[in-house]
Amino acid sequence: MREARFDAGGSRVRWTEVAGADAARVYVHGLGAASTIYHAHIAARPELVGRRSLFVDLPGHGVSDRPADFGYTLEDHAEALAAVLDEARVAGAEIIAHSMGGSVAVVLAYRRPELVSRLVLTEANLDPHPPATAGSSGIASYEERDFVENGGYARVLEKVGPTWAATMRLADPRALHRSAVGLIRGTRPTMRRMLEELTIERVYLQGASSGDLAGREVLEASGVTVMTVPDAGHNIMFDNADAFVAAVSGRP
C-alpha cells in the first residue's frame, strides 16, 4: 500500500500497486465502493497481466483518509487522484473507472491531460441531477446531518443490497454524502462536455440491462467508442467480466 497527501492537513489518499510495464493502468471505483474489490479480479486476468496497475481508493472511501473539512466534490476527488499519479510518477496512464469514478477520471483528464492517455469508463455519470432512482440521488436526498447523525446512512445500507453495502460500510458517512451531493451537482463544464472535448482514446461501457445511453450519437460523433455490453447492468466488471477485460485490453 502506498499513499499521497491530498489536502493542506496532510490527509492521505492510498492505493495498492502491482509492478509491471508502462503505460500504467489506474483503476478507480464508484460511489461507496473500493477499487481492489471491483477491479483486482480484472487486472489479474491473463489478457491484462504484466502492466503496472494501481488500485486507488478515493478520499473517504476504503483505506484512504476521511477528513471532516474536505469538500468531496468531483473536482476535489480529481485533485486527490492527480496527487496519486504525481506521487507515483505516473504520466500517460490508462484510467479504468466505474460510475462516479468515471466522472472523476473525466475531470482529471480534462484538467491534467498529461496524466491520462486513455479512458475506459463504466457507466460513468456524465450529467448533473441524475434520475431519482440513482443511488447518489437517494443519498443526496438527505440533509447531511440527517444522513450522518440521524439514521440516514443506516437506512441506505439496508436498501442498497449486499454487494454495494459491503463496500459502502467502509466509506465515511460524511464523505459518502458529500460525494453524492457533488455528483448530483456535477461540474462546469459538465462531465459530458469535458468528455466530448477530450482527444485521447475514450471508451464508454454501457450495460445492456441499464437501457440506452442518453446522447450516445453525440458522444460517438466526438470520437468516443460506446459499447453496449450484453448480460450486464451497472457493475459490468462483475456481470460480464470477459467483455470488460476485452474492452480494457483494447481487443474486444
Side-chain angles (χ1 to χ4, degrees):
M1 185 173 65
R2 299 183 60 188
E3 60 185 23
R5 295 186 178 187
F6 68 87
D7 68 0
S11 302
R12 267 77 167 179
V13 56
R14 297 184 174 88
W15 70 97
T16 53
E17 183 170 333
V18 177
D22 289 331
R25 291 191 178 111
V26 179
Y27 295 87
V28 187
H29 61 82
L31 180 68
S35 283
T36 52
I37 294 168
Y38 276 72
H39 292 117
H41 67 294
I42 296 298
R45 288 282 294 263
E47 303 95 316
L48 300 179
V49 295
R51 291 280 288 276
R52 186 182 182 190
S53 301
L54 288 71
F55 304 90
V56 182
D57 284 347
L58 295 171
H61 293 72
V63 296
S64 290
D65 287 347
R66 45 202 68 198
D69 59 351
F70 193 64
Y72 300 97
T73 64
L74 291 173
E75 295 90 344
D76 290 334
H77 282 303
E79 288 181 8
L81 184 55
V84 168
L85 301 188
D86 288 339
E87 179 68 22
R89 298 184 179 180
V90 169
E94 296 185 13
I95 311 290
I96 297 93
H98 180 223
S99 198
M100 183 189 80
S103 306
V104 173
V106 169
V107 175
L108 174 71
Y110 189 81
R111 291 185 160 198
R112 296 284 306 275
E114 77 280 7
L115 296 179
V116 184
S117 64
R118 182 176 186 246
L119 290 174
V120 180
L121 307 175
T122 307
E123 295 207 358
N125 303 80
L126 300 181
D127 304 302
H129 308 294
T133 54
S136 55
S137 298
I139 294 170
S141 67
Y142 289 89
E143 294 295 328
E144 181 174 304
R145 183 172 181 180
D146 288 337
F147 186 79
V148 175
E149 301 177 13
N150 297 327
Y153 177 56
R155 287 192 289 273
V156 167
L157 282 175
E158 291 176 354
K159 293 179 180 179
V160 298
T163 300
W164 196 10
T167 54
M168 191 179 290
R169 286 194 297 267
L170 305 178
D172 177 73
R174 193 179 310 276
L176 182 64
H177 184 270
R178 290 182 185 173
S179 295
V181 170
L183 193 56
I184 296 296
R185 183 185 303 121
T187 57
R188 292 186 179 180
T190 65
M191 299 84 79
R192 182 181 295 273
R193 180 61 61 84
M194 291 183 194
L195 181 60
E196 291 170 354
E197 292 181 3
L198 292 172
T199 58
I200 59 174
E201 182 182 354
R202 294 148 290 159
V203 178
Y204 190 102
L205 305 180
Q206 177 80 356
S209 301
S210 299
D212 295 332
L213 175 63
R216 175 172 185 155
E217 294 80 6
V218 177
L219 287 174
E220 290 178 327
S222 74
V224 179
T225 299
V226 180
M227 302 172 61
T228 300
V229 180
D231 304 316
H234 189 59
N235 297 326
I236 296 172
M237 70 291 297
F238 295 149
D239 298 339
N240 192 337
D242 290 343
F244 190 86
V245 168
V248 173
S249 71
R251 297 187 294 271

